Amino acid sequence: MSQQQQQQQKRGLRVVFIGPPGSGKGTQSPLIKADYGVCHLATGDMLRAAVEAGSDVGKQAKKVMDAGGLVSDEIMVNLIKENIGTPDCKNGFILDGFPRTVPQAEKLDSMLTDQKQKLDHTLEFQIDDQLLVRRITGRLIHVPSGRSYHREFYPPKVDGKDDITGEPLTQRTDDNEATLKKRLEAYHKNTTPVLQYYKSKGILTTLDAARPCEDVYKNIRQIFAKTGNNPPPSSA
């Protein structure tokens, strides 16, 4: 490994995932987490964990949510800051579900700069809306681990059972066509400016998320390798 690769591997891999629900982010995240040793920071999971742990940020978030309000950008950025400082994130992170607006992206960049870090890549999972409908309605989740499957595109080895634990898989109640169309409308409206923001930074890459899972992951590894971000030798 070259000295440049060693330095880049030492500083870690920091990635933002942007894509509509069902585009494959949840399938790719565990693969990257396993191979590169990074943490997966999904905004909903982070909020729930912080509230349960009773951290300062968690208490702030709980107060807002209990009052029926939306958690502020400042609280979310502080939550991300809290998480990236943990041992699980020492090799970097995948950020999923944030930022969703340009002001959020700017606040995230500012916080990372203060931490002497910066994003390496923003990956857009691009896929046709009609294909998403098929994907979403067949999606199955192993709730304890977050592993995701699909009846048609990525089926478990045993129908309705998690590959690792054998525990039952479930379908989210909001995984239906009517709900999905509303979420897609909001996604396209809010996300286009964020994509332009990261494109202007020179770190945006668009993935063909309609391709098979294995092909998408191979593409992701190639993108990371271009900036010297390679998995440890045991995963290469």
Side-chain angles (χ1 to χ4, degrees):
M1 186 184 294
S2 69
Q3 184 177 359
Q4 182 186 23
Q5 285 177 322
Q6 288 177 336
Q7 289 174 342
Q8 288 181 313
Q9 199 172 77
K10 183 178 180 181
R11 68 178 172 80
L13 173 66
R14 288 170 286 274
V15 185
V16 166
F17 276 6
I18 297 178
S23 59
K25 304 189 304 296
T27 301
Q28 297 298 328
S29 295
L31 302 175
I32 297 169
K33 180 178 178 180
D35 280 355
Y36 291 82
V38 300
C39 63
H40 176 216
L41 303 178
T43 50
D45 294 340
M46 280 192 294
L47 276 171
R48 284 188 290 272
V51 170
E52 289 176 8
S55 67
D56 289 341
V57 180
K59 289 175 182 175
Q60 293 174 34
K62 186 176 188 301
K63 185 177 180 180
V64 173
M65 290 188 292
D66 285 350
L70 293 174
V71 176
S72 69
D73 294 350
E74 288 75 16
I75 290 177
M76 286 307 306
V77 170
N78 284 332
L79 188 57
I80 294 165
K81 179 181 177 181
E82 187 178 83
N83 275 268
I84 65 176
T86 64
D88 283 349
C89 297
K90 70 179 188 299
N91 294 324
F93 59 81
I94 303 164
L95 190 53
D96 181 359
F98 190 96
R100 296 185 179 185
T101 66
V102 172
Q104 288 177 351
E106 292 171 341
K107 287 181 173 68
L108 175 64
D109 277 350
S110 178
M111 181 274 287
L112 290 174
T113 298
D114 290 344
Q115 299 297 307
K116 296 181 171 55
Q117 300 183 33
K118 67 182 182 69
L119 293 174
D120 298 295
H121 298 279
T122 298
L123 301 183
E124 178 196 7
F125 287 68
Q126 191 176 76
I127 185 169
D128 181 75
D129 285 0
Q130 291 305 311
L131 179 55
L132 277 179
V133 172
R134 289 172 60 200
R135 280 194 171 185
I136 288 286
T137 53
R139 188 162 63 175
L140 299 167
I141 307 293
H142 179 243
V143 176
S145 69
R147 282 186 288 273
S148 58
Y149 302 86
H150 193 281
R151 290 190 178 93
E152 180 181 354
F153 301 115
Y154 193 65
K157 294 174 183 176
V158 177
D159 186 38
K161 304 288 186 182
D162 177 50
D163 286 352
I164 306 300
T165 65
E167 293 172 345
L169 303 175
T170 60
Q171 186 168 29
R172 293 173 179 166
T173 55
D174 61 348
D175 281 356
N176 61 77
E177 187 170 351
T179 302
L180 175 60
K181 286 183 176 178
K182 291 181 181 177
R183 292 168 70 187
L184 287 173
E185 286 176 10
Y187 168 79
H188 291 304
K189 179 181 178 181
N190 296 329
T191 306
T192 299
V194 181
L195 295 173
Q196 289 299 321
Y197 174 85
Y198 285 123
K199 184 177 181 180
S200 72
K201 297 281 184 181
I203 61 171
L204 176 68
T205 305
T206 298
L207 302 169
D208 181 0
R211 295 179 62 80
C213 169
E214 296 80 5
D215 291 352
V216 175
Y217 186 52
K218 182 179 180 181
N219 191 8
I220 290 173
R221 286 180 63 129
Q222 291 170 342
I223 292 164
F224 291 167
K226 287 179 182 178
T227 52
N229 295 110
N230 295 294
S234 60
S235 298

